[in-house]
Amino acid sequence: MTHVAATSPIERIARVLVAHALSPNGRGDAEPDEVVSAEVNDRLPDELPRAAAILRALREPSAEMVAAGNALGSSDVAEIWDTMVRAALGEKPRVVPAPAPIPLAD
């Protein structure tokens, strides 16, 4: 089974937006030795509406996302979600899709 996050997608997106603007690891404007976690927490509430807007934009999957999810052949919703997001990012699925069933001979 795919890992299930403890925080909401909106909070995770907001944290990435803030950290990206601040952290050298996120190609932001902080000095290389500056720790930005406290500032991320301070700015987080300001980014929640933008994060929600980003998540709303992803409500409708692309054709590639749907095809990847369907090809997985899994009933694990977390695996399907992970596979669909990876397809949107142009990444290979972490889980190998199930092989197509072999038809039985009559």
Side-chain angles (χ1 to χ4, degrees):
M1 182 176 151
T2 303
H3 173 74
V4 177
T7 56
S8 76
I10 294 172
E11 180 180 338
R12 291 193 313 274
I13 293 168
R15 285 188 179 283
V16 168
L17 292 172
V18 174
H20 187 269
L22 296 173
S23 172
N25 293 334
R27 294 182 295 271
D29 58 7
E31 294 299 319
D33 59 350
E34 186 177 349
V35 177
V36 298
S37 58
E39 194 164 353
V40 168
N41 288 337
D42 290 344
R43 292 188 184 190
L44 185 65
D46 296 333
E47 285 297 340
L48 292 173
R50 196 160 71 132
I54 290 168
L55 191 57
R56 273 188 218 96
L58 297 173
R59 276 190 260 187
E60 294 181 14
S62 67
E64 294 81 10
M65 293 171 73
V66 171
N70 287 337
L72 188 62
S74 173
S75 62
D76 184 332
V77 176
E79 285 181 356
I80 295 168
W81 172 260
D82 179 75
T83 299
M84 292 174 72
V85 171
R86 287 175 183 276
L89 295 170
E91 298 175 359
K92 293 184 179 186
R94 178 174 43 201
V95 183
V96 178
I102 300 171
L104 298 174
D106 290 322

